Amino acid sequence: MTKAISTSIYSFKDLIENNCIYVDKTKYLYDIISAPKGQFFCSRPRRFGKSLTISTLEAIFCGQKELFKDCYIYNETDYDWKKYPIIRLDFAKANLSSIELLSSWLLQTLNGIAKANGIEVKNTDPALLFGELIEALYKKENQTGVVVLVDEYDKPIMEHLENEDEAEMFRNFMETFYQMIKGYEQYERFVFMTGVIKFAKLSIFSKLNSLTDISMDRKYACMFGYTEDELETYFGEYIEALNKQGIYDENRNKLDYASILTTLKRWYDGFRFSPREESVYNPVSIGSFFRNEGIFSNYWFETGTPKVLIKTMQQIQITLDDVRDPIISRDTFSVFDITEFAFSSDGIKNGNSRRIIGKQKFLQLLYQTGYMTLGDVPEDGLSDSYYPMRFPNKEVRDSFKNMLKNI
């Protein structure tokens, strides 16, 4: 029976139990969890499977072995499926209107985890409670290391970039909270954090210098998104069904099996997260394409554009010439600080923004948000210090042009 396609289920358990397609990424997950300890961070654009990855890691560390019987980690490894205490935080669920409401959500979430594990905690400060909970879980489970999973770690700051003072306030609050991961690492078995924006090591989360950033690591370039082989392996039956049904491209050309693949690649492939490594397709675009019976459309763009990108484009008056075959400094990736994109309380309307963002910084923002990607990097010379950039595919290029028209 053909498995169903879902673009709205982010729970690994729900995908498996509802007989939905899960593109197996457990080979990458096994690689990062196989060591006795590990702390990792990975940034990817929105709707690229970050929440599903967090959910999959949670199922692994819960010891839910039978859910993985069709996966690499079940069949090709000697993983022991030991159960660990888990602290999972998803900041997409938090009320980020104010520090007080964020604090309340954190206290409620952490107290809920404590109660579910039969632990009594006392602190009423979110950061101190976080650390207390890590230590208490470790001791209760007979010194079994605690697993910490954080999804959308950057959302509290991203939500307030329209006001520089608020952005800085949330940055300070989150820095204090996240430093507990470093302070209590002796009690931790594994830490994994995801978000859209890669933090600067010397800025927002300077206390988290123990995290291994795999955002541009070649070994994990295809950990999110679908490779060409995965597309044919997992969606081949759907492609064949469209071939028999008969579908057309945007120019009303009828497509056979091979040309369906070619057109899918032109529309939705092209995201590259490490120089010279294979590019990947956007998962939500692929899923939406098949769920809509082969209609080519801008599915990923329709899920929303980060406000900071629109605001910055307005501020610096970007044009298509500015993003035509650009080159970006490799150093830009290591010093990128999202709070540099915060606007003063007067906003850009009155021309009072405190900072003027340079082209290199803006290109980095386009990369972080998925609107540009790494181009073809030559074997020598340029790749040592600079990366060529490009639009990943037709969907993103057309969407970006439409954004420029509306600014």
Side-chain angles (χ1 to χ4, degrees), residues 144-196:
T144 298
V146 177
V147 171
V148 178
L149 305 174
V150 182
D151 197 7
E152 300 212 37
Y153 88 101
D154 52 348
K155 194 170 180 63
I157 298 100
M158 292 284 287
E159 285 293 298
H160 293 275
L161 289 177
E162 291 186 34
N163 185 305
E164 184 179 11
D165 294 335
E166 287 187 6
E168 183 65 15
M169 183 171 59
F170 274 82
R171 183 193 74 83
N172 290 332
F173 178 87
M174 294 311 302
E175 181 175 23
T176 300
F177 182 80
Y178 285 134
Q179 74 179 2
M180 294 298 160
I181 294 175
K182 172 68 175 178
Y184 287 82
E185 62 183 333
Q186 68 190 89
Y187 304 118
E188 296 158 2
R189 159 67 176 87
F190 181 82
V191 175
F192 193 80
M193 298 175 65
T194 70
V196 171

Side-chain angles (χ1 to χ4, degrees), residues 3 15 44 56 113 115 141 148 159 163 168 174 205 210 224 249 263-264 283 333 336:
K3 291 189 174 184
L15 277 181
R44 285 294 182 268
T56 307
I113 295 171
K115 184 176 180 180
E141 298 298 330
V148 178
E159 285 293 298
N163 185 305
E168 183 65 15
M174 294 311 302
F205 302 115
S210 57
F224 298 84
D249 65 12
T263 310
L264 280 171
F333 288 93
F336 184 75

Side-chain angles (χ1 to χ4, degrees), residues 81-103:
W81 298 99
K82 184 177 178 180
K83 187 175 181 179
Y84 293 88
I86 298 172
I87 299 175
R88 179 179 176 179
L89 299 172
D90 180 0
F91 283 94
K93 298 178 180 179
N95 189 328
L96 303 172
S97 302
S98 66
I99 291 290
E100 291 73 24
L101 288 172
L102 173 57
S103 296

Side-chain angles (χ1 to χ4, degrees), residues 25 28-29 32 42 44 53 192 214 220-225:
K25 299 292 185 177
Y28 300 102
L29 301 186
I32 61 175
C42 190
R44 285 294 182 268
T53 298
F192 193 80
I214 61 173
Y220 308 103
C222 300
M223 182 173 167
F224 298 84

